Amino acid sequence: MRRVALTLSALTAAGLLLSACGGSSDSSEPAPQQVEGGQTVAQFWPLTGLKVSSDKTAELDHPVLVAKMDNTESSQPQVGLSKADLVVEELVEGGLTRLAAFYYSEIPSNVGPIRSMRASDIDVVSPVDASMVTSGAAPKTIARIQGAHIPFYGEGAKGMYRSSDRSTPYNLLVHLNTVADTAKTKKSATPPDYLTWGTDKDLPKGVKATSITAQFSGGHGTQWQFTNGTYHNTNSFAPAGDQFPATNVLVLRVREGDAGYLDPAGNHVPETLFTGKGAAMLFHDGRMVKATWHKGTTASSPITLTTKKGQLKVPAGHTWIELVPNDGGNVTFTK
C-alpha cells in the first residue's frame, strides 16, 4: 500500500467554489493533490519515496520510462543520469554492465547513449509497469519482452537520433521528453512504489562503510565513495555535473542464467534471474545493513527487504541498485 502523510489544510468557501467550477482550463497545469475529509493528502514519488511538492502531483500522464544505457568507456560522456530517479546496473555479456535508468518525476530532454535490451530487464522494469527506451534487441529478447507485455521505443521512434560527435554504436541518444509525449496515457496515474520507502529513523544501525566496490566480473567493478551525505561513483562515465546523486546504494546478490544466444563477438549472453530471494546489502549515510531481498515468481512482483527483525525500509532518496552475480561477483567495503 502506498505511503501517505496527512497535513491539515483549511478549505475556504472561495476554494470550494473554484473546485465546483472546475478551476483553470489550462491542461498544462499540474493536478492538485487530493483532499480527503478537509485534509490534504501529501503524495510521494514512487521511485524515490520523496515527497511531491504541493504544486505537483505523482499522478502523471506518462509511464515510467527506463532508458537502457551503455556503461563502458566508449559511452563517455553518459548524458542525463543526474535526472534519473533510480538506476539498476545489470551484468551483460563479456563481463560488462549496462544501466537501466528509471525516469518519472523528471523527464530530461537528452539521455544516452542508448543501447539494447536484455531478457533480464523483464523482472527489473515490470514492478512499476515501465516502458523501455532502447536501440532494439536480439529477436529472442524482443519476443520475450513482447510476451511480457512491456512497451518499448526503439531506434526510429520519435525523439531518437544519432550524434555526429560519437562513434557507432555509442552515438544513439534520445530526447526523452519527446518519448514521454508519445507514451502519454489516457488517464493519469501513479505507478506502484519500486521499493518500500521509509526514513533514516527506520534504518538499523548497521556497520560503518564509506568505500564500496560492487564487482560484477573480473573485468568490471563499480566503485562508490560516501562523501558529504551522498555516494559518488568514482569510476563513473558521466561528467561530474551529470552523475547520479545516490542517497542509497543497494546491492542485491542474484543468480545468473544463460539467455540462449551469443552476441556478435561470440560471447554467451547472461540473464539475471531476479526472482525468489537472496542476500542484500543496503548502504546509506556511510553505513551498511545486511538484509535478504525477496521477489515473487511473477515479473511484476514487488521487491522487498527483510532482516531478522522484520521488514527493512529503504530511506527515501535516489537509489542505485547493483545486481551482483552470486557466482563470479563480489562486494567489498571499507570503513
Side-chain angles (χ1 to χ4, degrees), residues 7-150:
T7 56
L8 293 177
S9 175
L11 295 177
T12 65
L16 287 171
L17 179 60
L18 283 173
S19 297
C21 294
S24 171
S25 61
D26 185 355
S27 60
S28 65
E29 290 295 320
Q33 296 198 17
Q34 297 176 354
V35 175
E36 295 180 1
Q39 296 177 321
T40 300
V41 180
Q43 300 177 10
F44 297 84
W45 292 114
L47 303 183
T48 63
L50 296 172
K51 188 175 179 180
V52 180
S53 61
S54 60
D55 62 334
K56 295 184 178 181
T57 177
E59 296 181 358
L60 302 181
D61 63 357
H62 63 77
V64 174
L65 297 175
V66 179
K68 284 308 299 287
M69 294 179 63
D70 192 82
N71 195 43
T72 66
E73 187 175 358
S74 298
S75 69
Q76 295 183 103
Q78 292 167 330
V79 180
L81 269 183
S82 64
K83 306 299 183 183
D85 288 320
L86 178 144
V87 173
V88 178
E89 185 171 7
E90 314 164 13
L91 181 70
V92 293
E93 58 276 12
L96 304 175
T97 65
R98 285 199 181 156
L99 308 181
F102 287 61
Y103 295 88
Y104 185 69
S105 66
E106 187 173 0
I107 304 295
S109 60
N110 215 22
V111 172
I114 302 298
R115 298 299 304 276
S116 56
M117 303 178 289
R118 296 292 183 272
S120 303
D121 295 317
I122 295 172
D123 288 325
V124 170
V125 309
S126 293
V128 288
D129 301 320
S131 296
M132 298 200 66
V133 180
T134 172
S135 63
K140 284 188 176 181
T141 299
I142 289 178
R144 292 184 61 184
I145 293 288
Q146 290 175 332
H149 306 292
I150 298 172

Side-chain angles (χ1 to χ4, degrees), residues 146-282:
Q146 290 175 332
H149 306 292
I150 298 172
F152 66 90
Y153 298 87
E155 185 171 6
K158 289 183 178 180
M160 293 280 194
Y161 70 97
R162 292 278 179 181
S163 171
S164 60
D165 297 331
R166 298 169 181 252
S167 60
T168 304
Y170 308 100
N171 62 343
L172 182 63
L173 288 92
V174 62
H175 296 305
L176 201 61
N177 51 347
T178 301
V179 175
D181 288 340
T182 302
K184 277 190 175 181
T185 54
K186 293 181 179 179
K187 184 179 180 181
S188 297
T190 305
D193 288 342
Y194 197 79
L195 297 167
T196 302
W197 303 110
T199 67
D200 286 19
K201 294 181 180 179
D202 297 320
L203 199 66
K205 184 177 181 180
V207 298
K208 190 173 181 180
T210 58
S211 180
I212 312 160
T213 298
Q215 196 72 38
F216 282 81
S217 68
H220 177 75
T222 299
Q223 300 167 358
W224 298 93
Q225 183 67 45
F226 181 71
T227 308
N228 298 325
T230 60
Y231 291 89
H232 299 271
N233 183 185
T234 57
N235 60 340
S236 174
F237 297 114
D242 201 12
Q243 293 186 12
F244 183 76
T247 311
N248 308 300
V249 175
L250 175 59
V251 177
L252 308 180
R253 302 303 301 271
V254 295
R255 295 173 296 124
E256 294 289 337
D258 193 313
Y261 64 95
L262 305 178
D263 73 355
N267 296 306
H268 284 273
V269 177
E271 178 180 349
T272 299
L273 306 176
F274 194 21
T275 58
K277 64 180 181 179
M281 303 169 76
L282 174 58

